[in-house]
Amino acid sequence: MGYLKRGRFIIFTLVFFILILVTVVMNISLIEEELKERGNFETENAVDLSFNKFSEDQIIEFINEVKKDKDLIIKYYCSVVSEIKVSGPNILGVHFNDKFTKDFSLKEGRFFNKEDFDTYRKVVVVGKDILPFTKESNGYRYVTIGEDDYEVIGVIDGKDKISTSEYILYNLNPVIKEEHNIIDNSWVIDSNVINRDEITKRLINIESKSNEGKINIHERGKALEKGDSVYLIAETLGALGLAAIAVLLSLIRAIDLWIQKLSIEIGVRFCSGGSKGDIIMLLLKKYMVMSFISSIIAGGVLSILSNLNITNLILFEFNIKVIVVSMILGILMGVIIIPLLVLKFKSMNASKLMKGGV
């Protein structure tokens, strides 16, 4: 087993190769899922709305006017939830008069209704993965928003770890009424029945009735286009891609150094009548064993990182299929690289190899 000791740099490099490749694949999947999920929460009619030189009271007054339009859906991407560590767009305040943009598959309970909004009822609908973080009292579950407890009335049956299973949707009306840190951006106005141009026209019409600041309206559905999602993936994972290239080059160098360390053994086998094909097969067998060991180590590291959940920026997840595919890719690189490196022995005699020369 001395070849494992001599090949420890290969094992170390393969572990990093598998870790990076699995991380790249899983994060691409994460971004694609988030883009799909955003498509589920919004139609192509959605627009971003922000306020310029509006006070908090003026923003509330404007939103209350928007609420009167039965065709419009209001979404507020702002975290006002306490005690639960869910960040970004996973927390969403909503108000609608007719129907939301998505029919959710509920594991239990119900979705919001008109009475909830009209009576300013403090209620939330959460993804199933949020349930363990809710508070329970008298048979009911609650999520703290601001200083108040909001009752969980429905649980979304998200189909995977990313997706809707980690969402918190809350009734926006009581938050607006009680003025819980209302900010001038993070607003989205959507509709199931009118297009983006009509939404924009109605918002401008509401603005014209006030003597306040200026509203800013931007297209939102455009970010859902395929080209933009590809750009987002490339931008987010560019650093990981460069790291993967660096590790690949390191792997080639590691295999070269490993073969150099085995030059004496290779020389002995040449003297014993071994052919280049025999040498290549021997090296490949040893390389495959090291690849298998590397996969086990990488799987253990990924499992630990996944459980620690050390960052929200990069997803670390144990995925046996991706690990196996990464191991196979590592083996294929060895199948290509090792024969090429062995070819340089052609011009060398066995005695030189046995002296450690390559």
Side-chain angles (χ1 to χ4, degrees), residues 338-352:
I338 289 174
L340 292 175
L341 293 175
V342 171
L343 286 177
K344 68 181 181 180
F345 295 153
K346 186 175 182 180
S347 60
M348 299 180 184
N349 56 46
S351 59
K352 184 176 180 180

Side-chain angles (χ1 to χ4, degrees), residues 110 115-117 119-123 150-151 153 171 174:
R110 64 175 178 83
E115 184 180 354
D116 294 328
F117 298 124
T119 60
Y120 296 87
R121 191 176 175 203
K122 296 178 179 179
V123 290
Y150 279 51
E151 180 188 346
I153 58 171
N171 182 0

Side-chain angles (χ1 to χ4, degrees), residues 82-84 130-152:
S82 307
E83 301 179 5
I84 296 181
I130 299 297
L131 274 182
F133 303 99
T134 58
K135 300 187 297 184
E136 189 170 0
S137 177
N138 298 322
Y140 296 95
R141 291 186 177 275
Y142 297 90
V143 171
T144 301
I145 295 181
E147 298 179 353
D148 302 316
D149 289 336
Y150 279 51
E151 180 188 346
V152 177

